[in-house]
Structures are given as structure tokens and as C-alpha cells.
Amino acid sequence: RNKDTKTQEIISRLEGLDHIDKVLEEFHPYILKQHEGRKILNFDTFAGAVDEFFAHLGGQKQALRAEAAELLAQQRLDKIRNDQQQRVISLEREQDKLRKHAQLIESHADDVEKAINVINSALNTGKDWEALNQLVEVEQKKTITQLL
């Protein structure tokens, strides 16, 4: 059965009780001295009081369980929503970073093209990757020196 349907059934049963808004603590066949001054519900019969008490108690337990389940579901939903928001923020940051990289590549397209041509020509002449790596390091040092 659907949880929403079950919750609605519990609420309907609880609303059918006369004293749904009250917490029934105990029941006695007579009003005891210790209970004077407290709010008391009177019933025509002791059996009626017992029935009402246990029906109310069972309904309260079911309502509390349903409320706890709903709270847990809401907490899970909030956690998922929060995780998704964090994911969106992370993706937006990554997008901005990649956009900046792309802009740098576009602004230095001539230099990038020259670097690609140098690497391709080195590979075509048969240089191995280690020698190519050394060439890149030398060129990087030259560029840093020129910037200083």
C-alpha cells in the first residue's frame, strides 16, 4: 500500500476520536485524590474509557510513526537537494575554470600552434618522448626567462 494512503488512514482514524487533541495518560474507574485539579474526561462506562484510551494510544503511536517516517523522508530529500546544489556549484566552478583555459588557449592560439608544430616535427624526425620532454622543459625555461 502507498505510504501516503496509510498515513491518511491513520489521520482519519485519529480524527474520529473525540479527544484527538489531548494526551490521555491513564484511566481509572474512580477519580483519585492525586488527580484532583487535573483535567479529567468522564465516560459513561469504564469499558468505554478503556476502549477510548487504547484506541487513542494506538492511534497516537501510529501517528508518531507516520510523522517520524515523514520527517525522515524530508531529511533525506533535504540532504539530496543540498548534495545536488553543491554538485551544481562545483560544476559551475569547473565550467568557469575550463572557460578561462579555453580563453587563454584562444588568446595564445599562435603560440599553441607553434608548439604543436614543433612537437609534430620532432616526432616526425624520430625523437623519442624523453628527448621531447627535455625540449619542452628547455623552452619553458626560456619563456620564463623572457617573462622576467
Side-chain angles (χ1 to χ4, degrees), residues 49-113:
V50 172
D51 288 343
E52 181 77 16
F53 178 82
F54 285 108
H56 190 79
L57 185 65
Q60 281 180 327
K61 285 181 183 178
Q62 288 178 337
L64 288 174
R65 278 190 223 115
E67 190 176 309
E70 186 176 331
L71 180 63
L72 182 63
Q74 185 62 43
Q75 288 173 341
R76 286 179 182 163
L77 180 64
D78 291 343
K79 184 180 183 313
I80 290 169
R81 185 175 290 129
N82 193 16
D83 289 346
Q84 291 298 320
Q85 287 174 341
Q86 293 302 319
R87 178 82 172 126
V88 166
I89 289 169
S90 173
L91 289 172
E92 286 173 345
R93 285 183 187 146
E94 182 70 17
Q95 181 182 23
D96 289 341
K97 180 180 162 188
L98 292 174
R99 187 173 287 129
K100 287 177 185 175
H101 286 282
Q103 289 170 346
L104 285 172
I105 290 171
E106 287 175 353
S107 66
H108 298 291
D110 292 337
D111 294 335
V112 171
E113 188 65 33

